[in-house]
Amino acid sequence: RKRIVILVTKEAHALGDILMKCFEGALDVEIAAVIGNYDTLGKLVEKFDIPFHHVSHEGLSRPEHEAELMKVVDSYRPDYLVLAKFMRILTPSFVAAYPHKIINIHHSFLPSFIGANPYRQAFERGVKMIGATAHFVTDDLDEGPIIEQSVIHVNHAMSANDMARAGRDVEKSVLSRALQLVLDERVFVYGNKTVVFK
Ligand code: 3YE
């Protein structure tokens, strides 16, 4: 069985979905630990008898914070890291420590709407579809090899918050499908793309 460490910030849905799927047996992976840069999700994680580490970035430089993160991550010797709405840009040295071993879920249909607030960006642009993208993390934010994507229709009656709410379900399903494919060793990186055997 493969081991993962999950990194989170404040949002519970992507993390909660992975926890539930493992609990139900729908996802066959050992969640070695969850690390949050806030402490808000600790209670949820501990309900599943999984260790939670709060590694705050406050008062630390980015390299200092990453050194703390890396110490905890490495202690669990994971096969993969999953960024389940972890809202920090990782430095090249962190990325190099886990090459093509870090999976991120981004809440847009890439390459549209990179970076912060993609639902707000989608709302402002008036697109009729929103989506989510799971990709391997590389040095460039949201530019790494894409593993899995999906979209849903939206309309003029929806606010940016409505889109975010609807998008959460897409994020969850795209992330867990991508994770399953990677765990099953069906995903091969080829240049900045992937070859996925379904
Ligand atoms: N790092 C690299 N490449 C990637 N991190 C993530 C994906 C990804 C990555 O593909 N190298 C929000 C946008 C970042 C932001 O600017 N965050 C701030 C901190 C804000 C806070 O702590 O509340 C920052 O300075 O990092 C995961 C998604 C990152 C989203």
Side-chain angles (χ1 to χ4, degrees), residues 57 62 86-90 104 135 137-139 141-142:
H57 58 278
R62 194 176 300 272
F86 178 68
M87 292 297 138
R88 302 276 304 176
I89 297 170
L90 297 168
N104 180 50
H135 64 92
V137 166
T138 58
D139 290 355
L141 179 64
D142 301 335

Side-chain angles (χ1 to χ4, degrees), residues 9-120:
T9 291
K10 285 178 174 171
E11 283 182 276
H13 61 282
L15 170 66
D17 188 60
I18 298 173
L19 291 171
M20 274 308 296
K21 286 197 165 98
C22 285
F23 181 74
E24 294 168 344
L27 202 55
D28 186 26
V29 68
E30 181 188 342
I31 303 173
V34 179
I35 306 172
N37 61 321
Y38 292 88
D39 65 4
T40 35
L41 297 172
K43 278 210 175 96
L44 169 66
V45 174
E46 279 157 11
K47 283 202 166 39
F48 287 84
D49 276 325
I50 292 167
F52 180 85
H53 297 265
H54 176 208
V55 180
S56 175
H57 58 278
E58 268 174 66
L60 301 182
S61 69
R62 194 176 300 272
E64 284 169 345
H65 180 233
E66 287 192 350
E68 293 292 306
L69 283 177
M70 214 181 285
K71 229 188 295 173
V72 181
V73 170
D74 285 345
S75 73
Y76 289 100
R77 307 204 159 280
D79 296 295
Y80 296 99
L81 297 187
V82 178
L83 310 186
K85 306 307 289 282
F86 178 68
M87 292 297 138
R88 302 276 304 176
I89 297 170
L90 297 168
T91 65
S93 68
F94 189 100
V95 173
Y98 312 100
H100 297 143
K101 298 288 183 200
I102 312 175
I103 302 164
N104 180 50
I105 181 69
H106 180 66
H107 38 308
S108 79
F109 182 59
L110 288 173
S112 290
F113 314 138
I114 280 170
N117 302 315
Y119 291 121
R120 169 61 54 184

